[in-house]
Amino acid sequence: MVDNYRHKGLRKKLVETLRNKGVKNARILTAIGKIPRHAFLDRAFEDWAYQDAAFPIGNEQTISQPYTVAYQTDLLEIQPKDKILEIGTGSGYQAAVLAEMGAKVYTIERQKTLFDKTNKLLQEMGYGQIRMFLKDGMEGLERFAPYDKILVTAAAKTIPKALKDQLAIGGLLVIPVGDQEGQVMYRLTRIDVAKFKTEKFDYFRFVPLLKGINP
Ligand code: SAH
């Protein structure tokens, strides 16, 4: 993977664009300024990598728009050493942003082709500390629960119960909820075992959260 001055220049511009759109969190901007997003797209689309746009990554999936990545990351209030579960690894870019911010990342993908490709890429890029699982993320990842933060990067019709159950007390769950026309970004805070605070934010459009794995 080549990361040259042109890429670095484009990345700086992307950070500027995000700042102008209202992203204020310096730690998020630093991570985005550091990660070669073009490595997460096919070579032919290199020039698209630093547009603030979502982009197809194969298997009918997309790499989230940088603004969306920044938005969800901001709502998660990431602290170094946070244990985070991400549902919908996709390209691996969002997981890389969380890892750059010092979080301990567990991420789940349901499509084997994407899982294999991204697993290899993250290893090659030196993100061996990100742990990837081929699973149905709606069930969460009981083995390493509870999580300080849980992030869902696909559109959920309803909030999967397993994810609420696997959240630490005081933990945050960020999840887009709605149909394919659009979703509202939700943030749940687990106040107590059975008590959650719910906040609603802006509208977004994600690919759907689907049941089962696609081998
Ligand atoms: N976070 C990704 C964006 C991924 S798009 C990135 O930074 O690129 C959403 C991803 O969620 C897709 O790869 C899709 O296959 C995956 N997905 C959908 N339903 C899922 C489920 N139940 N469990 C795990 N992954 C799922």
Side-chain angles (χ1 to χ4, degrees), residues 14-26:
L14 172 61
V15 168
E16 239 4 84
T17 303
L18 294 175
R19 216 193 291 276
N20 290 335
K21 288 185 177 176
V23 179
K24 291 192 188 75
N25 188 318

Side-chain angles (χ1 to χ4, degrees), residues 61-64 86-94 108-111 114 135-138 153-154 207-210:
Q61 301 309 324
T62 52
I63 176 170
S64 299
E86 179 196 25
I87 315 301
T89 315
S91 69
Y93 180 73
Q94 168 78 71
I108 305 179
E109 173 56 54
R110 65 177 290 279
Q111 298 215 39
L114 262 179
K135 259 178 71 61
D136 176 355
M138 288 196 205
T153 66
V207 295
L209 183 68
L210 300 171

